Amino acid sequence: MLKGTGVSDGCGIGTAVVIKEEALDYSAVIYTSADEEKARLNAAVNTFCKKTENIAAALEKNAGEKEAAILHGHIEMIHDPFMVSQMQEQIDAGAVAEAAVETVCNTFMEMFAGVQDELTRQRVSDIRDIRDDMLRILLGIRSVDLGAVPPGSVLVARDFTPSMTGRLKKENVQAIVAEVGGMTSHSAILARAMGIPAVLSVPSATQAIRDGDSLIVDGFTGEILTDPDAQTVAGYRARQAQWDQEKEALLSFCRLPTVTANGVQKAVYGNIGRPEDVQSVVQNGGEGIGLFRTEFLFMDRASEPSEEEQFEAYSTVAKAMNGREVIIRTLDIGGDKEIPYLSIEKEENPFLGHRAIRYCLDHQELFKRQLRAILRASAYGNLKIMLPLVTSAQEIEAARQLIDTCKQELQNAGVAVRAVPVGIMVETPAAALISDELAGMADFFSIGTNDLTGYVMAVDRGNAAVAGLYDIMQPPVLRAIEMTIKNAKKAGIPVGMCGEGAADERLIPKLLEWGLDEFSVSASSILRTRKIISEQNA
């Protein structure tokens, strides 16, 4: 039996199709001239874009508009002036087009791989996908046609990229297995969107599994069984049938309000990273947006998004939610999230360094552009501002003063601005410990359990040696959460949770007991979270 990380629920039973990576060797390519190499590069970019547009169109039919947007993002990346100019500089220095593509893409991959935030690290897979596709085009190598795999296939690859996903016929694919990837990687997101069971991070899967092997892929547990007997197959088929029934039953919660078993009203919101993600939240019955991670607007580009670009993003989400609450987290960047054009200084311990609200308060013009964009967008919906990584009352005071300044500037310019509530993410032990004081200064709390767990337990969640300590059910973490909720209730302000804990079946009963008002989860977890809440008393 092989073991990985189950990232898309369900049991897939079928025959292995192992996708081996072809050698992208360009050592025989001879440099002619800078002009010719640049012409080859430009032609490859054009081919890449046309091909990717076609795949995105197919992916939109298979998975949805949000998932197709991942591939549109690939087109934006390859057109990025900074990336293109870097490749052209490599060519001017004597590199063939293939070497220019590989060198620049590898630089970006190294940059993102060094970031501790998992959502940022998933960019490595995107850029690898772009690099390999560009090299195949330049070398004239045909990609594996996943649309031609027979019914009953279990796809096994080193990585399962968005461009690969767009080519497959989902009705022919029983499951997906890959050697890399995690819960928030694009391969996981796409598998869940298409309803295909998937297990990622399976060491040496392409060597351990052979073409034609009979496989059972358990997306719940992350287990992969090879050559199972008839009795085992029958058991898993029954389990899959039960899961299909459960999924059908969950759909009924899409049209229902979130109410506990004893009739207490709660709310289940969705977390998003980009404006296009809002559609998935709406489709799954999300009652609001509990976390809009705005840093993604600043990434994968050569320059800061303008105030106008940000305004368009925030107002788009506000309009899509049609009056329902949208909580926008201000820019959460710093030493752990490298953005080249911001020249963020490298730090020895970035998670304890110059990041989030600390960085923004020290770069007030950048911060004001974002705040003005949010305030302008407030005219189109029910927006709230949330400050990340707060550790002191002074940070809230300073941010509120800046927000007031932005309001005054906009009003002086004749721009209508609504009153926008200002709350904080409670994701540090400091904020939890003084949550009674901060509750008097904030309009709402949202508990960020991902960072809070790491900070309280003094654990780097990426360190396998101590990963067992990174558990939201650890008593010190539970005590910090309980203290925060109870202090919010005493002060009469709403309190939500936007970390992974909001969808944790073990934690939800305690959150209801303590009085949590709002649960913000990934779009795919909204209905399941609502069901769990409906079965509990508050």
Side-chain angles (χ1 to χ4, degrees):
M1 183 178 73
L2 301 175
K3 189 76 169 67
T5 302
V7 299
S8 182
D9 290 341
C11 302
I13 303 167
T15 304
V17 175
V18 181
I19 303 160
K20 298 286 188 182
E21 291 188 344
E22 61 275 83
L24 299 174
D25 180 12
Y26 54 85
S27 57
V29 178
I30 298 170
Y31 184 91
T32 50
S33 70
D35 286 343
E36 287 193 30
E37 292 302 321
K38 286 178 183 177
R40 290 181 64 229
L41 176 66
N42 291 337
V45 168
N46 290 334
T47 301
F48 173 88
C49 292
K50 289 176 185 174
K51 173 183 167 188
T52 306
E53 282 285 4
N54 291 335
I55 297 171
L59 186 56
E60 186 167 347
K61 290 179 184 176
N62 279 339
E65 185 179 343
K66 172 193 166 189
E67 286 67 33
I70 295 170
L71 286 174
H72 291 305
H74 288 194
I75 295 171
E76 290 175 12
M77 279 190 233
I78 200 66
H79 275 311
D80 187 294
F82 181 73
M83 182 177 272
V84 172
S85 66
Q86 292 283 88
M87 291 178 184
Q88 290 175 340
E89 285 178 20
Q90 291 287 323
I91 289 172
D92 286 334
V96 294
E98 290 85 350
V101 168
E102 183 168 49
T103 300
V104 173
C105 287
N106 286 353
T107 299
F108 275 83
M109 286 163 60
E110 288 168 14
M111 179 178 74
F112 287 123
V115 173
Q116 296 190 40
D117 178 73
E118 188 178 352
L119 285 169
T120 307
R121 285 203 306 271
Q122 78 179 25
R123 298 285 179 230
V124 175
S125 179
D126 288 329
I127 297 169
R128 183 186 295 113
D129 199 8
I130 293 169
R131 180 198 67 187
D132 291 352
D133 234 6
M134 282 288 292
L135 288 176
R136 278 190 285 266
I137 292 166
L138 286 163
L139 293 167
I141 296 172
R142 288 176 63 89
S143 302
V144 177
D145 185 5
L146 296 184
V149 299
S153 295
V154 174
L155 303 182
V156 182
R158 195 195 72 80
D159 190 10
F160 199 75
T161 65
S163 64
M164 291 167 69
T165 308
R167 301 187 190 105
L168 62 81
K169 291 181 179 176
K170 63 179 180 179
E171 62 270 21
N172 289 357
V173 179
Q174 295 299 305
I176 290 166
V177 176
E179 295 178 348
V180 300
M183 187 61 73
T184 58
S185 63
H186 279 154
S187 48
I189 292 167
L190 294 167
R192 288 194 292 270
M194 290 188 290
I196 299 175
V199 176
L200 310 183
S201 293
V202 183
S204 305
T206 56
Q207 281 76 48
I209 298 171
R210 295 166 301 179
D211 249 347
D213 279 352
S214 294
L215 298 179
I216 293 175
V217 177
D218 190 333
F220 300 100
T221 66
E223 295 174 343
I224 300 166
L225 284 67
T226 55
D227 297 321
D229 58 32
Q231 185 177 355
T232 303
V233 169
Y236 273 91
R237 288 200 190 285
R239 188 175 179 192
Q240 180 60 34
Q242 181 183 352
W243 171 236
D244 289 340
Q245 289 177 353
E246 289 175 8
K247 284 194 296 182
E248 190 66 31
L250 282 178
L251 291 177
S252 66
F253 287 91
C254 195
R255 298 177 293 276
L256 298 175
T258 303
V259 182
T260 64
N262 59 335
V264 179
Q265 187 91 23
K266 297 295 178 180
V268 178
Y269 289 4
N271 298 333
I272 65 171
R274 297 183 184 275
E276 54 266 28
D277 296 345
V278 74
Q279 295 307 322
S280 187
V281 173
V282 172
Q283 288 162 11
N284 282 280
E287 295 164 291
I289 301 296
L291 172 62
F292 185 166
R293 299 181 178 95
T294 60
E295 58 269 22
F296 289 99
L297 301 177
F298 288 71
M299 299 170 71
D300 301 336
R301 52 186 299 143
S303 60
E304 176 196 340
S306 66
E307 179 182 324
E308 198 61 33
E309 285 180 85
Q310 293 186 65
F311 162 74
E312 287 294 333
Y314 307 143
S315 60
T316 295
V317 174
K319 292 172 189 173
M321 293 310 294
N322 196 27
R324 286 167 287 183
E325 197 167 86
V326 175
I327 299 175
I328 300 178
R329 183 175 70 185
T330 58
L331 191 55
D332 187 2
I333 55 167
D336 65 317
K337 295 173 185 170
E338 289 193 42
I339 298 179
Y341 60 82
L342 291 181
S343 301
I344 299 171
E345 187 176 339
K346 282 188 176 289
E347 297 175 291
E348 188 173 332
N349 196 335
F351 264 79
L352 301 180
H354 196 217
R355 57 172 292 216
I357 191 64
R358 302 166 181 176
Y359 181 90
C360 288
L361 289 174
D362 286 340
H363 294 80
Q364 293 199 1
E365 288 307 311
L366 176 143
F367 196 19
K368 284 175 68 179
R369 284 188 285 275
Q370 179 172 43
L371 294 173
R372 281 196 298 266
I374 296 171
L375 291 169
R376 289 171 56 199
S378 69
Y380 297 90
N382 182 10
L383 301 189
K384 291 185 174 183
I385 293 172
M386 181 162 65
L387 309 174
L389 205 79
V390 167
T391 55
S392 71
Q394 290 74 24
E395 289 165 337
I396 301 176
E397 288 173 354
R400 280 192 175 278
Q401 287 174 8
L402 211 56
I403 291 167
D404 288 341
T405 299
C406 291
K407 281 182 185 175
Q408 194 60 55
E409 289 175 356
L410 289 169
Q411 287 168 349
N412 291 345
V415 178
V417 177
R418 288 184 180 178
V420 178
V422 179
I424 67 167
M425 274 191 84
V426 178
E427 54 185 331
T428 66
L433 287 169
I434 60 168
S435 54
D436 54 344
E437 177 186 354
L438 300 183
M441 306 178 64
D443 295 317
F444 65 92
F445 281 167
S446 186
I447 303 169
T449 54
N450 299 352
D451 273 352
L452 183 62
T453 302
Y455 285 132
V456 168
M457 297 306 299
V459 167
D460 174 2
R461 56 181 156 166
N463 185 336
V466 292
L469 291 170
Y470 186 82
D471 184 355
I472 197 169
M473 299 306 289
Q474 292 279 2
V477 183
L478 294 177
R479 189 170 296 184
I481 293 170
E482 181 182 10
M483 177 193 308
T484 300
I485 294 172
K486 290 187 173 178
N487 282 330
K489 304 308 284 185
K490 284 179 190 175
I493 64 170
V495 54
M497 179 176 286
C498 58
E500 293 298 320
D504 193 317
E505 192 166 2
R506 302 169 302 165
L507 182 60
I508 287 173
K510 291 184 179 294
L511 297 176
L512 291 169
E513 176 191 339
W514 296 332
L516 192 79
D517 300 304
E518 170 250 303
F519 299 70
S520 192
V521 300
S522 64
S524 60
S525 298
I526 289 173
L527 297 181
R528 179 176 171 275
T529 303
R530 185 170 290 143
K531 177 178 182 292
I532 295 168
I533 291 171
S534 75
E535 297 167 342
Q536 309 291 327
N537 287 325

